[in-house]
Amino acid sequence: MKSFILHLTPLLLLSSMFITSCSRPKICDHSVILTDADKSTPIAEVYSVEEWIHLDNDEQCAIKSHVKIIEANGLIYILERGFHNKVLVFDSNGKFVKKIGVVGQGPGEYSGPIDFAVDSSDGSVTILTEPSTAYKYDADNRFIMSKKLDETLLHHIAHGPKGFVASTDHLTYTEGEHAYLLYWFDNDLNFLGKAIKVLDIQMPQIAFRGQLASLDDKVIYNDYFTNRVYDCTSPGASDTLLSYSYAKQMPLEMYLGMNYFDNQRNYDHTLSVIDLKDGVAINSFLTGSHNVFIVGFDGDVKSFGSVVMPMETYNGTDGTLLSPIQIDEYYHRWHDRAIKQPDHTPDPEDNMMIMRWKFND
């Protein structure tokens, strides 16, 4: 369900503008091996832009930087960082509706939000803050409760049909052998279980992370370090939906310190994953070139070439995808592309837009 959150360095942002395709990967022991290729594919053959959503341009809802976007019950929720450090809510046309909660240190007030989840069954919003504390608000923005979830450093949270799922992203330092990748909680944020021990090597707090999100009736976790896609809907258990590998896999020790940025062109690794109904779209960096693969959970693989893709993508409703586009990015990357354009010319002072799009069948 993508959608995904990956904050790239300027070098990575520059390199992610073009994506190179590859030859058909092999299927080996129920795992997909992704390999490099040399063809190109135009945008029109890969995906279609359905609409541009112009978000209200007002100081109470201006967006400097976003962390995550969720679409649920006809509303678009955006965790903004920089101006408000809150979850901002817009309707499907981009009209500002409300802010969730109050930033502060008092009862029911939060600070330092790092992720959030929406329960589509009742419209409640749960905000995850450091260190691993959750604040829950009902659909009318009334504070319900706050709770320290665990001593473990949790970085992501999502809501599914059986409660909440949280993840450490392997980025935890305080629990040693007691640290796990996935944690489950009921709707009242009571601990239910955990699974998958974190990697032995202590991953640093760099921009490179995995992704946890809800999609339809599942909660899916994309592990960018181990190249696995997990169904973690059921408390205390996870199923591997997909495992993939590369010919020249990035060694785990390369993620330590500045090694990753110094060696990113020397190895194959995952940059981001978009969750789809029956598979995923994988944006990979293979020894110097970008590649996008659509991989089904049945092992079927489609590969695409030098096509311009949105830098960040989240799952919308009805199988659509939502990509936040700042105005300067629009003019730099999208204004002259052969895609559906906004219904009116964006002003440089406008608020961020959202591009709704989907992969072609």
Side-chain angles (χ1 to χ4, degrees):
M1 161 251 93
K2 214 211 345 18
S3 264
F4 58 93
I5 301 173
L6 178 63
H7 300 286
L8 301 172
T9 65
L11 178 60
L12 281 173
L13 287 173
L14 179 63
S15 64
S16 66
M17 291 176 63
F18 295 96
I19 298 162
T20 307
S21 175
C22 63
S23 58
R24 182 175 179 82
K26 305 173 184 176
I27 304 298
C28 178
D29 297 328
H30 307 291
S31 295
V32 179
I33 302 176
L34 303 180
T35 56
D36 205 354
D38 56 4
K39 70 176 183 177
S40 299
T41 309
I43 286 177
E45 294 184 23
V46 181
Y47 62 90
S48 302
V49 176
E50 297 197 346
E51 68 169 330
W52 292 83
I53 302 172
H54 296 260
L55 301 181
D56 268 354
N57 192 20
D58 187 287
E59 65 178 16
Q60 68 175 339
C61 59
I63 296 174
K64 181 177 182 180
S65 178
H66 70 281
V67 176
K68 183 178 181 179
I69 297 176
I70 295 176
E71 185 173 26
N73 302 328
L75 298 173
I76 297 173
Y77 301 77
I78 303 175
L79 175 52
E80 193 277 341
R81 180 175 293 166
F83 292 141
H84 312 283
N85 295 315
K86 286 184 179 181
V87 173
L88 309 180
V89 185
F90 301 82
D91 68 16
S92 59
N93 297 314
K95 182 177 177 58
F96 178 64
V97 176
K98 60 185 175 183
K99 299 177 183 178
I100 302 297
V102 176
V103 173
Q105 302 297 324
E109 299 175 351
Y110 64 88
S111 62
I114 56 176
D115 200 3
F116 75 104
V118 177
D119 183 344
S120 59
S121 67
D122 62 11
S124 61
V125 177
T126 300
I127 298 172
L128 178 65
T129 70
E130 296 178 333
S132 304
T133 300
Y135 294 76
K136 189 173 184 179
Y137 300 83
D138 68 15
D140 295 319
N141 201 20
R142 293 182 296 237
F143 175 67
I144 299 175
M145 64 179 295
S146 64
K147 190 168 188 177
K148 178 72 175 291
L149 298 181
D150 200 90
E151 295 302 319
T152 303
L153 303 177
L154 301 174
H155 300 286
H156 286 314
I157 192 169
H159 187 271
K162 299 183 180 181
F164 293 95
V165 186
S167 175
T168 64
D169 277 348
H170 298 292
L171 308 178
T172 186
Y173 312 98
T174 59
E175 297 78 24
E177 64 181 13
H178 301 293
Y180 286 74
L181 179 64
L182 298 169
Y183 290 72
W184 285 264
F185 306 87
D186 65 19
N187 287 320
D188 294 321
L189 300 172
N190 297 309
F191 176 74
L192 295 177
K194 56 186 178 181
I196 307 177
K197 298 192 70 171
V198 297
L199 297 169
D200 291 336
I201 188 170
Q202 289 188 339
M203 291 301 172
Q205 292 279 8
I206 61 173
F208 192 89
R209 294 190 178 189
Q211 170 199 336
L212 177 69
S214 300
L215 178 64
D216 297 329
D217 60 345
K218 295 184 178 67
V219 180
I220 294 177
Y221 181 76
N222 298 296
D223 190 340
Y224 296 174
F225 291 120
T226 66
N227 300 326
R228 290 180 180 272
V229 180
Y230 294 105
D231 178 351
C232 48
T233 309
S234 298
S238 61
D239 295 324
T240 301
L241 296 174
L242 178 68
S243 174
Y244 56 97
S245 59
Y246 302 106
K248 194 175 182 182
Q249 180 71 47
M250 173 80 78
L252 288 177
E253 57 267 23
M254 288 299 170
Y255 292 104
L256 302 179
M258 294 300 294
N259 288 340
Y260 171 72
F261 303 112
D262 293 337
N263 291 279
Q264 60 175 312
R265 292 184 175 276
N266 299 325
Y267 296 97
D268 305 338
H269 57 285
T270 303
L271 290 177
S272 60
V273 177
I274 300 172
D275 294 311
L276 306 174
K277 182 177 180 180
D278 298 312
V280 292
I282 304 172
N283 180 13
S284 302
F285 199 55
L286 305 186
T287 58
S289 64
H290 280 79
N291 294 260
V292 157
F293 311 90
I294 294 182
V295 185
F297 294 139
D298 60 358
D300 181 62
V301 178
K302 297 177 182 178
S303 57
F304 301 95
S306 189
V307 54
V308 177
M309 297 286 291
M311 292 182 180
E312 294 187 59
T313 299
Y314 306 86
N315 289 94
T317 57
D318 300 324
T320 63
L321 301 164
L322 304 179
S323 291
I325 308 293
Q326 296 286 358
I327 303 303
D328 58 347
E329 180 191 350
Y330 166 75
Y331 280 108
H332 180 65
R333 299 191 62 202
W334 303 105
H335 179 258
D336 296 325
R337 303 292 179 189
I339 60 174
K340 178 182 177 64
Q341 294 292 325
D343 53 10
H344 68 265
T345 303
D347 185 278
E349 299 300 320
D350 282 350
N351 202 5
M352 185 183 80
M353 296 187 295
I354 294 178
M355 185 174 77
R356 186 187 297 276
W357 61 284
K358 65 190 310 182
F359 286 104
N360 298 331
D361 295 330

